Amino acid sequence: QVMLVESGGGLVQAGGSLRLSCAASGRTSSSYAMDMGWFRQAPGKERKFVASIGWSGSRTAYTDIVKGRFTISRDGAKNTVFLQMNSLEPEDTAVYYCAAKVFGTTAYNYWGQGTQVTVSS
């Protein structure tokens, strides 16, 4: 019922910027409070948490490795989430996944298909 579609990935040089977007559709996402998050997975490695934002947009969290470079945000309608990525490094190369969970739960129940981010030296 809830569908997440990521976009905005691509190939950039080190030091460049990208803005990822995640469009959420479905009645659950539109009508009920959803916490949103971004995760990433490099080839041969496990998926890791990147950033999250609460349903109201007032609470955010970041993994230390991206703090100060990445910014997560939501639009006014709370049905899209963005990840602004600045000062990108080759280590940021990964497939980035958007995720959503119902407010009050701990597990992210909904996942997008991912968007590739490649940072060249």
Side-chain angles (χ1 to χ4, degrees):
Q1 187 176 6
V2 176
M3 180 178 294
L4 305 176
V5 180
E6 304 97 333
S7 63
L11 174 64
V12 298
Q13 297 181 8
S17 298
L18 284 174
R19 189 180 75 160
L20 306 183
S21 63
C22 174
S25 61
R27 194 178 188 278
T28 301
S29 179
S30 299
S31 303
Y32 300 95
M34 302 288 287
D35 296 332
M36 307 294 293
W38 287 97
F39 296 75
R40 67 186 185 185
Q41 185 172 25
K45 300 180 180 179
E46 66 178 353
R47 189 173 300 182
K48 296 182 178 180
F49 168 81
V50 176
S52 65
I53 186 167
W55 66 270
S56 69
S58 62
R59 184 186 67 82
T60 60
Y62 302 89
T63 188
D64 288 342
I65 197 171
V66 307
K67 197 168 186 177
R69 299 188 297 122
F70 292 10
T71 303
I72 189 170
S73 61
R74 311 181 69 139
D75 73 352
K78 307 295 190 293
N79 61 350
T80 59
V81 63
F82 305 94
L83 185 67
Q84 179 66 47
M85 305 185 295
N86 298 325
S87 301
L88 284 164
E89 304 170 356
E91 310 89 78
D92 297 316
T93 296
V95 176
Y96 284 70
Y97 296 90
C98 177
K101 66 180 182 70
V102 177
F103 172 75
T105 66
T106 58
Y108 284 89
N109 300 314
Y110 307 100
W111 295 84
Q113 294 298 307
T115 184
Q116 177 70 49
V117 172
T118 302
V119 185
S120 62
S121 301

